[in-house]
Amino acid sequence: MRECLVTMGLLNRIMTTDDSQSDGGTSKVDAVIQKYDLVGMGAELENRWVGADGEKESTRDLADYFNRSVLESAIDGSDAPTLSGDIQQVYQSLHEDDADAPLIRSRLEQSGIDVESVMADFISHQTVYRYLKNDRGAARPEQTPAERKESAIDSIQRLRGRTTAVTRQTIESLDKNDAISVGDFNIINEVQVLCEDCGRSYDIVAFLEQDGCDCQSK
């Protein structure tokens, strides 16, 4: 049986019309949706997950989307609306607890936002999955092998792009806060697959697109 060694250059740390269930919507997701007035969020999560518009999103991506929406709603209802324009950066800093997090927390708290309370309302990807499966009864259509491969490639590319962005932001943040010293730089984020049978190595996307190693077809 072929064994392939995967090495990474970088690692980083449908259709319902409302968000209530017939039992009154008692899950954490429902409660947070109501608390922050995220109208239509439940149906949107479901549609994105099952791919109602053609592209299926992972529960991890949906959890991040949900949490950013919670944070944005809290900011919009506070005296710090200017921060909402950088919601992705604000969320990422708080979520990753990076070098900018203390300053962002301070600005939010000065504007009357209870940061700990807001973050306690964030949800995990497991919570998203349980909500979609158990509360909304959602189910994804069975994927073909080609669709599974395409989905895997999309996930890897998104993760690689996200890793690169997080790495760049982290370096820039540390440089800005005098924790490190850096000039102009680029991020090289490679994921290689090394076939132990023949010794060939491939970029992960090329490896998947060509259906594995060349030596398999010989």
Side-chain angles (χ1 to χ4, degrees), residues 62-94:
L62 293 176
D64 284 337
Y65 172 72
F66 183 92
N67 295 339
R68 287 196 304 270
S69 299
V70 168
L71 181 60
E72 185 171 24
S73 177
I75 291 174
D76 287 345
S78 73
D79 296 327
T82 55
L83 283 174
S84 62
D86 301 314
I87 190 64
Q88 173 62 36
Q89 182 177 348
V90 172
Y91 171 70
Q92 186 172 296
S93 292
L94 293 175

Side-chain angles (χ1 to χ4, degrees), residues 5-213:
L5 175 66
V6 179
T7 60
M8 293 190 178
L10 286 173
L11 293 175
N12 72 330
R13 339 195 253 143
I14 96 186
M15 297 291 198
T16 54
T17 57
D18 60 64
D19 297 294
S20 301
Q21 306 302 312
S22 59
D23 62 0
T26 57
S27 74
K28 176 178 180 178
V29 177
D30 282 316
V32 174
I33 285 173
Q34 294 176 18
K35 179 177 179 180
Y36 293 90
D37 196 25
L38 302 178
V39 178
M41 176 60 75
E44 184 175 3
L45 292 176
E46 181 176 343
N47 292 343
R48 286 178 175 231
W49 189 59
V50 302
D53 295 325
E55 182 177 350
K56 302 180 183 71
E57 296 187 34
S58 70
T59 53
R60 291 183 185 278
D61 288 340
L62 293 176
D64 284 337
Y65 172 72
F66 183 92
N67 295 339
R68 287 196 304 270
S69 299
V70 168
L71 181 60
E72 185 171 24
S73 177
I75 291 174
D76 287 345
S78 73
D79 296 327
T82 55
L83 283 174
S84 62
D86 301 314
I87 190 64
Q88 173 62 36
Q89 182 177 348
V90 172
Y91 171 70
Q92 186 172 296
S93 292
L94 293 175
H95 185 63
E96 302 291 339
D97 197 24
D98 65 14
D100 289 333
L103 177 60
I104 290 175
R105 283 174 177 269
S106 177
R107 289 183 61 186
L108 292 173
E109 288 168 355
Q110 289 173 6
S111 300
I113 297 175
D114 186 337
V115 177
E116 293 301 324
S117 176
V118 171
M119 294 185 68
D121 289 330
F122 288 172
I123 61 175
S124 67
H125 69 95
Q126 295 99 327
T127 299
V128 172
Y129 181 78
R130 288 193 297 268
Y131 171 72
L132 292 171
K133 292 288 288 185
N134 300 336
D135 291 3
R136 298 192 69 87
R140 277 182 161 181
E142 186 68 24
Q143 289 183 311
T144 66
E147 289 173 334
R148 288 182 182 277
K149 184 173 70 173
E150 183 178 355
S151 177
I153 291 172
D154 288 343
S155 296
I156 290 170
Q157 289 177 324
R158 284 198 301 270
L159 179 59
R160 184 150 59 178
R162 183 178 179 183
T163 302
T164 299
V166 170
T167 302
R168 176 174 294 279
Q169 182 182 4
T170 299
I171 292 173
E172 292 173 345
S173 176
L174 291 171
D175 181 48
K176 183 176 66 176
N177 288 279
D178 298 324
I180 64 172
S181 179
V182 64
D184 293 336
F185 67 93
N186 286 312
I187 306 298
I188 300 175
N189 184 2
E190 296 182 345
V191 181
Q192 295 286 319
V193 178
L194 175 64
C195 178
E196 297 285 8
D197 285 352
C198 69
R200 290 189 179 94
S201 64
Y202 304 85
D203 173 80
I204 179 59
V205 173
F207 179 79
L208 296 178
E209 286 179 338
Q210 70 175 40
D211 299 330
C213 183

